[in-house]
């Protein structure tokens, strides 16, 4: 039996048992050897794409004895960067680089360069960074309804990204529930479409993750969520918008469920936080999702996505100071001195906060409004274009993160064809689909049209040509059909190992 045979197995309720047997069997060298042989061809394929410079540049497995001349180092950085930047600059990439205008980038780089030696861990040395971070949090909170939230004193911190914002908030809920309610087996209720960061938080912090299937519109199911809440629930989660399908969960109804039970509710606005408030101002019908709802007790919003800051910042917000205090780390009896830090890291790059602040104050409300208008107009154009292709169907009711599937074609082959035409889109599964997160790059002249032209060609090709070898279609096909999740996660583990090969 090989991996392809496995893909056709239907285990159903036996899956947990088979998964255990698999984990057990892996301890035996003969089984592991056999598995490695099965993985080998897939790993070769992945290695080729992950290590394109293997033969073309010098590799440093150990420090060079003599330092390489700075000019040569910079030349090398430039050479490699040139190979990689055209794709996002020309608008071929879903998400990833959300602004990308050369003048904006040069401005952020200058802000970084001015402050590159700062570290907010030493708040006494660099009070300027504390000022920037306080203002980033305050500007984000006010954008997300803090000023109009009754009985709230919305506060927060800057984090290194959406994942850290989410990890921090979930850990705060866990610790508060343990202290104030004595909950020692905490549970977190999330829709299946919630970001993987909640899964990560559950794994890291010993929280049981209760995943609730979404409705046919890909939004969280309120009735099913209500049933999933128990006396051990520490927090309920909704997304605005969800990463896979770009839809807004019914935050009002979900947060009311939580409020009535006296538990936390987190709106994950990592993706939508810097678009939805402006969309609402532009007259789009946006259901309420922020602190204006009394049940929303925390939020995450990514400045390094549609806030147009450089990568490495996000904001986690709390409805009141009490929850934020659970996030802080402080220790009084360490021989190294009095030590305290707001997030997981110790030393942090103050320059990223300075650059984030620079992005926000230089763009301003009107700048964000203009950007949002362009993105939503392009999103509507792309959505209409997809809807005009009979073989494809748009999932849910999205504005600018647009997922498509097909009842007739293997959507992963469509994805592979798009990849051959330079596109970098996101493969999704459960159900099999592909999305594009529209950024300012796609609002440039002719980009949306080129996307739709290529998409029509991809559908035509997939319809009329036999499947080719290689590409991601078999991997995604396998991930969605192989009944033993351990097999697929083992592959991911090996892929990470490959990334660290010199
Ligand atoms: C991107 C994203 C995250 C995680 O953010 P990172 O910055 O990648 O850590 C969480 N939730 C949603 C909805 C996102 O789109």
């Amino acid at each position: 039996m090989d991996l392809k045979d496995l893909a056709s197995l239907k285990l159903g309720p036996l899956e947990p048992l088979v998964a255990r047997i698999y984990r057990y069997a892996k301890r035996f060298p003969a089984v592991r050897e056999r598995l490695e042989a099965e993985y080998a061809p897939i790993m070769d394929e992945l290695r080729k794409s992950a290590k394109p410079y293997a033969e073309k540049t010098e590799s440093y497995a150990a420090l060079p004895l003599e330092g390489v001349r700075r000019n040569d180092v910079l030349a090398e950085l430039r050479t490699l960067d040139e190979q990689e930047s055209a794709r996002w600059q020309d608008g071929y990439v879903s998400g990833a680089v959300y602004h990308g205008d050369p003048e904006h980038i040069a401005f952020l780089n200058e802000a970084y360069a001015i402050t590159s030696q700062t570290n907010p861990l030493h708040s006494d040395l660099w009070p300027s960074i504390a000022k920037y971070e306080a203002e980033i949090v305050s500007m984000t909170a006010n954008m997300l309804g803090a000023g109009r939230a009754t009985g709230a004193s919305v506060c927060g911190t800057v984090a290194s990204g959406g994942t850290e914002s989410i990890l921090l908030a979930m850990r705060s809920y866990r610790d508060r529930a343990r202290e104030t309610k004595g909950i020692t087996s905490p549970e977190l209720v999330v829709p299946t479409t919630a970001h993987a960061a909640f899964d990560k938080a559950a794994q890291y912090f010993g929280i049981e993750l209760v995943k609730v299937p979404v409705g046919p519109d890909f939004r969280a199911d309120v009735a099913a969520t209500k049933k999933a809440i128990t006396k051990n629930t520490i927090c309920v989660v909704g997304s605005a918008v969800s990463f896979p399908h770009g839809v807004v969960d019914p935050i009002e109804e979900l947060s009311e469920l939580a409020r009535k039970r006296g538990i936390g509710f987190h709106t994950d606005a990592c993706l939508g936080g810097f678009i939805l408030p402006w969309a609402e101002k532009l007259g789009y019908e946006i259901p309420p999702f922020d602190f204006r709802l009394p049940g929303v007790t925390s939020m995450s919003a990514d400045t390094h996505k549609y806030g147009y800051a450089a990568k490495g910042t996000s904001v986690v917000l709390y409805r009141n100071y009490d929850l934020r205090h659970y996030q802080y780390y402080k220790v009084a009896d360490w021989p190294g001195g009095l030590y305290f830090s707001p997030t997981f890291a110790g030393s942090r790059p103050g320059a990223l906060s300075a650059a984030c602040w620079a992005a926000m104050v230089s763009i301003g409300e009107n700048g964000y409004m203009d950007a949002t208008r362009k993105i939503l107009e392009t999103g509507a154009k792309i959505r209409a274009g997809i809807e005009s292709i009979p073989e494809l169907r748009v999932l849910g009711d999205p504005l600018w993160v647009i997922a498509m599937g097909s009842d007739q074609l293997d959507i992963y082959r469509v994805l592979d064809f798009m990849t051959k035409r330079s596109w970098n889109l996101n493969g999704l599964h459960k159900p099999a689909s592909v999305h594009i997160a529209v950024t300012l790059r796609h609002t440039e002249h002719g980009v949306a049209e080129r996307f739709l032209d290529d998409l029509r060609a991809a559908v035509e090709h997939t319809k009329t040509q036999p499947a080719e070898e290689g590409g991601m279609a078999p991997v995604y096909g396998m991930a969605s059909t192989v009944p033993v999740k351990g097999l697929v996660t083992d592959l991911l583990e090996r892929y990470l190992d490959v990334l660290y090969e010199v």
Side-chain angles (χ1 to χ4, degrees):
M1 179 145 80
D2 65 13
L3 286 176
K4 282 199 197 73
D5 298 325
L6 259 179
S8 58
L9 275 182
K10 296 265 183 294
L11 292 178
L14 286 179
E15 210 250 280
L17 178 67
V18 177
R20 270 175 64 188
I21 295 171
Y22 173 74
R23 275 203 302 276
Y24 178 75
K26 264 198 317 186
R27 293 193 213 154
F28 296 97
V31 175
R32 272 216 302 277
E33 241 168 63
R34 183 67 214 272
L35 279 169
E36 294 310 328
E38 290 291 341
Y39 293 140
I42 304 175
M43 293 322 300
D44 283 347
E45 186 78 19
L46 293 175
R47 191 172 279 113
K48 255 185 266 161
S49 70
K51 297 283 159 181
Y53 309 119
E55 254 91 73
K56 294 177 194 150
T57 63
E58 183 82 34
S59 297
Y60 300 98
L63 280 171
L65 185 59
E66 290 296 337
V68 181
R69 290 198 357 254
R70 284 176 178 161
N71 271 341
D72 295 340
V73 174
L74 293 176
E76 168 124 9
L77 292 176
R78 282 198 189 93
T79 308
L80 298 198
D81 182 64
E82 272 162 23
Q83 325 246 340
E84 297 170 358
S85 41
R87 217 157 160 213
W88 62 259
Q89 277 165 350
D90 297 342
Y92 279 102
V93 176
S94 165
V97 178
Y98 292 78
H99 194 297
D101 173 71
E103 282 174 26
H104 178 68
I105 295 171
F107 170 67
L108 296 187
N109 290 349
E110 205 171 329
Y112 186 99
I114 294 167
T115 52
S116 74
Q117 298 310 299
T118 65
N119 177 359
L121 186 65
H122 306 284
S123 50
D124 48 347
L125 276 178
W126 289 290
S128 60
I129 305 298
K131 167 191 152 69
Y132 304 143
E133 293 197 338
E135 291 175 14
I136 292 167
V137 170
S138 179
M139 287 188 280
T140 307
N142 277 310
M143 179 184 76
L144 295 171
R148 283 176 287 168
T150 42
S153 44
V154 177
C155 58
T157 71
V158 173
S160 62
T163 300
E164 191 184 17
S165 288
I166 289 165
L167 292 178
L168 288 166
M170 296 308 112
R171 191 181 146 280
S172 299
Y173 283 118
R174 183 198 68 174
D175 288 358
R176 184 178 68 169
R178 190 164 50 199
E179 193 168 301
T180 63
K181 294 184 181 171
I183 293 179
T184 51
S185 311
E187 294 170 16
L188 176 61
V189 177
V190 305
T192 47
T193 51
H195 195 273
F198 292 97
D199 213 294
K200 201 174 195 176
Q203 277 195 35
Y204 279 13
F205 304 135
I207 303 170
E208 191 186 331
L209 192 66
V210 180
K211 290 190 189 178
V212 181
V214 293
D217 56 358
F218 297 94
R219 296 163 75 233
D221 180 335
V222 178
T225 302
K226 187 175 179 184
K227 282 195 198 132
I229 297 174
T230 73
K231 63 179 192 343
N232 284 326
T233 306
I234 56 167
C235 178
V236 177
V237 172
S239 310
V241 297
S242 72
F243 173 82
H245 315 112
V247 296
V248 183
D249 282 328
I251 304 292
E252 184 162 14
E253 294 86 341
L254 293 171
S255 63
E256 275 304 290
L257 288 180
R259 194 175 65 87
K260 286 188 186 130
R261 300 284 294 257
I263 54 185
F265 182 89
H266 184 90
T267 301
D268 180 11
C270 280
L271 199 52
F274 279 82
I275 294 279
L276 294 176
W278 315 119
E280 190 183 332
K281 276 204 162 185
L282 288 167
Y284 286 80
E285 220 172 285
I286 306 295
F289 67 96
D290 60 18
F291 286 109
R292 285 172 289 177
L293 297 171
V296 172
T297 51
S298 62
M299 293 187 74
S300 43
D302 282 354
T303 38
H304 71 188
K305 285 180 182 159
Y306 294 100
Y308 311 125
K311 275 289 174 281
T313 62
S314 167
V315 175
V316 56
L317 296 169
Y318 298 103
R319 192 170 192 86
N320 53 55
Y321 284 70
D322 176 51
L323 254 173
R324 183 168 67 171
H325 287 162
Y326 284 97
Q327 179 185 307
Y328 293 161
Y329 178 78
K330 54 265 166 185
V331 58
D333 59 356
W334 179 45
L338 294 178
Y339 187 97
F340 50 97
S341 71
T343 61
F344 293 131
S347 291
R348 291 189 295 124
L352 286 182
S353 293
C356 173
W357 178 86
M360 291 175 79
V361 296
S362 70
I363 293 170
E365 235 189 87
N366 284 338
Y368 283 110
M369 290 273 274
D370 282 342
T372 301
R373 184 186 302 110
K374 286 190 213 161
I375 285 171
L376 294 180
E377 282 171 7
T378 305
K381 195 190 290 182
I382 286 181
R383 176 177 169 169
I386 295 170
E387 283 169 341
S388 74
I389 303 173
E391 291 82 1
L392 298 181
R393 115 188 113 76
V394 169
L395 306 188
D397 184 18
L399 283 170
W400 78 97
V401 177
I402 301 161
M404 60 189 121
S406 175
D407 299 323
Q408 297 148 48
L409 304 173
D410 178 354
I411 195 72
Y412 301 130
R413 286 192 58 209
V414 174
L415 174 64
D416 278 342
F417 183 94
M418 293 298 276
T419 305
K420 283 200 182 124
R421 292 238 171 146
S422 290
W423 290 93
N424 187 282
L425 308 175
N426 299 82
L428 314 167
H429 60 184
K430 299 165 182 277
S433 44
V434 168
H435 89 197
I436 178 167
V438 174
T439 70
L440 283 173
R441 295 289 85 211
H442 305 113
T443 68
E444 297 282 314
H445 183 71
V447 176
E449 289 75 11
R450 187 182 64 203
F451 173 77
L452 292 169
D453 284 344
D454 285 340
L455 190 60
R456 279 185 281 267
V459 165
E460 194 52 36
H461 176 89
T462 306
K463 242 169 79 174
T464 55
Q465 304 298 315
E468 297 93 2
E469 286 281 304
M472 284 307 283
V475 179
Y476 267 102
M478 196 181 83
S480 57
T481 50
V482 166
V484 187
K485 284 185 207 81
L487 274 171
V488 181
T489 49
D490 276 359
L491 268 179
L492 299 180
E493 198 170 277
R494 277 164 184 70
Y495 181 67
L496 284 172
D497 284 341
V498 165
L499 293 182
Y500 281 97
E501 284 172 9
V502 177

